[in-house]
Every structure is written in structure tokens, then in C-alpha cells.
Amino acid sequence: MDQQEEVTELTGTEGARWRVWTQGSSHLIDLDAMTAQRVPGPGRPATFNDRPRPLRSLEECQVGASGRWTMHSDDPTVEFFWHVTSTVRRIERVAEPE
């Protein structure tokens, strides 16, 4: 990819990989693989979402609002997990992994 692409919102239909920057962390949303992963920023505590999880739905992902999405659970007693972020500051397309 030659140019870095920024958008103000993701709806889930865009495809590609995106980094969603929030107040102190970022999130890798891969709309081709349908996964979401939190990447903690400096001084931020680790969570169970700090690995790729299967994305179930993208409820809201817009600059200026909290991001909200659900992920499929690998626990048979839990149907799905919610993830709510702090305010989204920027959304940028990222290159495919090597």
C-alpha cells in the first residue's frame, strides 16, 4: 500500500486491516479475517482482548465516539464478549502482515 488511508468510521463492510486509536491504546480490526485485537499503550494494563479474537459484530467505530464491538467467545458458557473503548481518536488502514 503506497498511501496511508484514514477514515472517520468503520461499518464492517470495508474489508482490509485497520488500526483504531483510542485515548491510550489501539485496536487492530481485521475486516478480512474478521478479528479484533487490543494493543495496550504505554502504562496500560493487559486484558484478555490483547490477542486476536473472532469479531462477531461491529456496533460502532467512529472518530469522536466510543468504539463498541462484540467478539465470539471460546468459553462454551459465554455466548459472546462485548468490548467498549474510550473515545476513538483516529482510524487508519494498515498494511497486510508479511
Side-chain angles (χ1 to χ4, degrees):
M1 181 173 57
D2 295 335
Q3 284 186 351
Q4 185 174 20
E5 181 182 353
E6 286 194 26
V7 298
T8 58
E9 180 177 20
L10 294 176
T11 64
T13 61
E14 297 82 1
R17 295 178 75 230
W18 301 88
R19 183 174 299 269
V20 177
W21 295 94
T22 59
Q23 299 291 20
S25 296
S26 67
H27 305 267
L28 291 173
I29 306 291
D30 188 330
L31 295 175
D32 291 333
M34 291 303 289
T35 60
Q37 176 181 355
R38 177 179 175 267
V39 180
R44 301 293 187 204
T47 73
F48 69 96
N49 290 327
D50 296 352
R51 67 176 180 87
R53 291 196 169 274
L55 190 62
R56 178 178 173 268
S57 69
L58 189 60
E59 301 294 322
E60 183 170 17
C61 189
Q62 182 175 354
V63 172
S66 292
R68 296 183 300 118
W69 48 84
T70 63
M71 297 160 294
H72 293 283
S73 171
D74 49 7
D75 179 342
T77 64
V78 177
E79 185 177 352
F80 59 89
F81 298 117
W82 271 99
H83 189 81
V84 179
T85 73
S86 56
T87 302
V88 174
R89 302 173 86 173
R90 188 171 79 235
I91 303 170
E92 63 186 15
R93 188 174 179 162
V94 295
E96 296 299 319
E98 297 284 324

